[in-house]
Structure formats: C-alpha cells, structure tokens
C-alpha cells in the first residue's frame, strides 16, 4: 500500500515536472512566435525589431530559466547537494545574463526612437524585479556557494532566500503579463475588442505563463517533493537545527 | 534569551500585521481616490461612473478582504479554531459579494456603452480568478464549515485549499495590476509618458498592491506564525496525522 502510494506520488511528480517544462518552453515559443510572426522578427539595430528581443529574453530568463533554477532542488533532490547548488546558481546566472540582454534591448530601442524610459507600471515592476533578482543572486553566491557569512547567519538567511526566490518568480510572471497587456494596447488598441488572432494568441500566452507559475508553485511547495534530510549533509551544512534557535531546518 | 527572542518575534509579527493593514487599506483608499478624483466618482447608471465601481470593489473584495480572510488564521492563532474558521468563511463571503458587485458594474457599463465583453487578458484572468474563488469558497464551506466529506477526504483537501487560497490572492493582485495598466492606457495613452500625476499615482497604487501581497505572503508562510498544534483540536479535527498516509498534518 505504501509502495503503491509512493509510486503514484513519483508518477504525479514526473507528470507535473513534464507539464512545467511544456508550459515553460511553450511560453518561450509563443512569445517568439508573437514577436516573430506578428511583429516582424528580431534585430539589434535600435529599431522595433530590437524591441522584440526584450519580451523574448525576459520570458526566457526571468520566467522559464528562473523557474527551472528553482525546480532543480526538487528534480535532483537525491543528488549531492553541492552539485545541485552549483546548478541552481549557474541557471540563475544564465537567467541574469539573458535578462540583462533583454533590458538592454528595450533601453536601446527607446533611446533610438525617442521613447521616454521607465514611465509605465510594467517598467517599474520590471526594474524592481531585476534589481532584487540580481541582489538575490549575489547574496546566494556569498552565503551558499562561496560562504563568507557565519553558519548562524547562513541558517537565518536560508528561509529568506527561499521566500524571496518564490516572490521574484511571481513578480516576473506578473510583470510579463503587464508587458503583454501594454504591447497589445500599444499595437492593436483599436482592433483588440474584435478578438483578432494576435489578441487571442497573446492572451493565451498570458494564461500559459500563469499556468507555469501555478505548476512550479505546486512542485516547490508540496512537502513530499522536498529534498529528504541527509544526516551526513546535515552535520556538515548550515541546515542544522541547533544552529537556529527558533525553528526547524528549512531545505530549499 | 528564549523569552527575548519570542518577544521580538511577537513584535515583528505585530508590526508586519499592522503594515499589511496599512498597505491593504491604503490600496483601497488609493483606488477610491483614483476613480473619485481623476475619473469623476461613482454611480450605478450604466455610465463610466458605474465602471468606476469595478476597480474599487475588486481591490476591496478580491485583494484586501481576501488577504485579511487568510490572515485571520495567523492573527487569531490562539483562539478557538471553530470561531476562526467561521470568521475566515464570513470575510470570504463578504469578499465574494463585493467582487460580484464589482463584476456586475463593469458588465452593465460595457452593455450600456456597447463595449465588447471579455476580450482582454485582464478580463480573462479576472473571470478565471472569480470562478475559482467562488469554487474555493463552496468547497471550503462543504469540507470545513459544514463537513459533508469524510475525514480522510477533508485531510487530503486541506493542503490543496491552502495552496489554492494563496494562488488566488496572487492572481487577484496580478489581475488588479493588469486592470491598472489597461485603465491607464485607455485613459491617458498619449500623456502617460510625460509622468502626469494620474500615471504616477496609479503606478504607486500598483506597487502598494504588490507590497500588500508580499507582506501577507511573508506572514502566512513564516513557520513560527502558524497556528500552534492543539492536542484537543487534533483529536477532534481532520488535522490528525494518522488520517493521511503520506504526510504530516498541515495547519492553514
């Protein structure tokens, strides 16, 4: 009975991880098709084609890669923690680089086209998210990959790091939805209400992004998918109960 | 040492709850001022003034009241569970009624002004959120307030109910941000880029809503603010470990 339950739990986990990848990759493909098919493709010449690089990079970097960087702690929960940490940091680094390219694309496009920078809610949320994402990455590097802080500080920071990671993923998805709405209203304001293919297509992309967030959220909050405690790691790592006075150890 | 730590934890909790109320009430006041001062106030006559009821009710119902309905499990964590459950259900009922008024306002305004219904990403996300919110309320009523399901089913549904509640609050805040962006682009498209007071005001409202979500998220995910286990309740309620085969009991 316990075996069959554990087997069913593993199957559900595999299905949900597969679904997360379909939704995540799906959103990257959909944003690429939207910018490629409906807005003429990509370039790096300050034109509107350079703008198109922005949504593609942000969805790829801050949504899909950031989501996957978080998921590695669930997918590889039986692998050596040091390696998983390294992979987590590397995918986040990739997400950061891709996002910086995406933000550069829109700033250069705005400068070339004399469009005011940073006046919309999307841009305010986006820049806050990117700054916090960068800070979170630097803090993660200092605290966990090349630990310079004391064990006590690291143990105290770990739950903050975990919660901030989830908040950042949610903020990234929310900011993407704001970007979709802005792009639609700037491009097809007068025809949007007649359900043109581009409007429906972009709305569906929005729902795919929300679904990605929900599936990733499910996988990272479900107790039984957490990394199982490993006595050897516990004795070496910061996740040791006696290091914190108030609570139980938290595994990201 | 333990006493001083517990006292500091209680102070932090009180400050964060106070902050959540300032941000939540602040967002209701800000949306009221936006619609009242910049868009002429409120009415129920099919006009644009009726539209103004929509954002006010949605922020009040689906954001502030929903957030507070969730928070009662933390704020009253030492009160009798039955009463807290009742309060949780009642505030959610109020949130539901206010939200239905808000949705009716916009549907009637669209019908009176010959505006197409349900074509934007905001409307798609909004209607999905409201339907799920209604379903979640009905399920909560059947499972926890007037339990018709077996104890085993209730124990299995509890973590789903908790996660769905958080997802719904996040979706409500995200949908509000989409609504803010839509309203700004429909109203001040040509002047938004010159940082007019209305644009800056509405952007700040967006950030206040995000901050409310982050503070409520912090309060409901922090382990030490959870309802402490009560042996008497455990023996009577569905939160009994042996009822679930796989995991530990989850307190909302």
């Amino acid at each position: 009975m316990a075996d069959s339950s554990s087997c069913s739990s593993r199957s559900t986990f595999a299905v949900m991880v597969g679904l997360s990848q379909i939704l995540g990759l799906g959103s990257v493909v959909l944003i690429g098709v939207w910018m490629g098919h409906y807005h003429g493709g990509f370039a790096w010449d300050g034109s509107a084609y350079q703008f198109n690089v922005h949504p593609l990079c942000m969805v790829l970097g801050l949504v899909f890669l950031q989501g996957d960087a978080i998921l590695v702690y669930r997918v590889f929960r039986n692998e050596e923690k040091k390696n998983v940490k390294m992979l987590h940091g590397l995918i986040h680094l990739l997400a950061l680089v891709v996002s910086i390219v995406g933000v550069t694309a829109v700033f250069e496009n705005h400068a070339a086209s004399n469009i005011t920078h940073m006046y919309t809610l999307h841009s305010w949320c986006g820049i806050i998210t990117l700054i916090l994402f960068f800070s979170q990455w630097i803090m993660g590097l200092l605290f966990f990959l090349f630990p310079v802080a004391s064990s006590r500080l690291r143990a105290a920071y770990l739950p903050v790091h975990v919660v901030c990671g989830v908040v950042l993923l949610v903020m990234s998805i929310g900011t993407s939805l704001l970007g979709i709405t802005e792009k639609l209203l700037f491009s097809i304001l007068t025809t949007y209400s007649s359900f043109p293919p581009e409007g429906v297509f972009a709305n569906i992309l929005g729902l795919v992004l929300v679904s990605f967030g929900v599936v990733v959220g499910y996988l990272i909050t479900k107790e039984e998918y957490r990394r199982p405690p490993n006595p050897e790691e516990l004795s070496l790592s910061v996740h040791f109960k006696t290091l914190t006075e108030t609570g139980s150890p938290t595994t990201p």
Side-chain angles (χ1 to χ4, degrees), chain A:
Chain A
M1 181 71 184
D3 264 4
S4 106
S5 157
S6 152
C7 184
S8 145
S9 160
R10 275 201 302 273
S11 305
T12 310
F13 177 76
V15 168
M16 294 304 279
V17 169
L19 185 60
S20 74
Q21 298 312 289
I22 290 168
L23 291 166
L25 280 171
S27 62
V28 175
V29 170
L30 288 177
I31 193 88
V33 170
W34 184 17
M35 293 301 118
H37 178 68
Y38 291 104
H39 290 277
F42 308 90
W44 198 271
D45 53 5
S47 70
Y49 304 121
Q50 179 166 341
F51 171 87
N52 296 345
V53 175
H54 170 67
L56 179 66
C57 283
M58 302 324 282
V59 168
L60 173 61
L62 278 190
V63 179
F64 178 58
L65 288 176
Q66 187 181 186
D68 270 14
I70 295 173
L71 278 184
V72 296
Y73 274 109
R74 297 294 173 269
V75 175
F76 302 112
R77 61 186 186 275
N78 297 314
E79 305 301 320
E80 205 185 332
K81 188 150 198 176
K82 195 181 138 197
N83 298 338
V84 182
K85 259 198 219 180
M86 194 68 78
L87 187 60
H88 178 76
L90 273 177
I91 302 178
H92 265 134
L93 176 61
L94 192 59
L96 185 63
V97 170
V98 171
S99 308
I100 289 171
V101 172
V103 169
T104 308
V106 73
F107 269 92
E108 285 193 11
N109 161 255
H110 279 192
S113 316
N114 279 324
I115 297 171
T116 312
H117 297 294
M118 301 291 312
Y119 67 89
T120 66
L121 180 57
H122 164 73
S123 62
W124 288 22
C125 289
I127 209 72
I128 290 171
T129 305
L130 192 65
I131 290 169
L132 292 178
F133 182 80
F134 180 66
S135 316
Q136 166 95 338
W137 189 79
I138 293 287
M139 295 286 277
L141 200 73
L142 296 178
F143 274 73
F144 304 120
L145 273 180
F146 306 108
V148 293
S150 68
S151 299
R152 178 183 289 271
L153 261 181
R154 276 180 279 153
Y157 175 60
L158 182 60
V160 179
H161 183 80
V162 171
V163 169
C164 285
V166 178
V167 168
L168 281 171
L169 182 63
V170 170
M171 283 180 71
S172 301
I173 292 173
T175 305
S176 301
L177 300 192
L178 291 179
I180 291 173
T181 293
E182 258 189 27
K183 181 69 186 167
L184 285 172
L185 294 183
F186 282 134
S187 310
I188 56 164
L189 181 72
T190 53
T191 57
Y192 192 14
S193 64
S194 59
F195 293 93
E198 180 180 351
V200 175
F201 186 92
N203 285 1
I204 290 172
L205 163 61
L207 297 187
V208 172
L209 284 166
V210 172
S211 309
F212 175 71
V214 170
V215 173
V216 171
Y218 168 84
L219 285 166
I220 59 180
T221 53
K222 201 164 164 67
E223 201 58 37
E224 66 190 274
Y225 300 153
R226 288 174 87 94
R227 190 177 176 81
N230 176 332
E232 223 171 281
E233 279 175 5
L234 284 175
S235 67
L236 291 168
S237 82
V238 297
H239 316 301
F240 194 40
K241 194 167 184 172
T242 55
L243 291 174
T244 58
E245 281 181 83
T246 50
S248 55
T250 307
T251 309

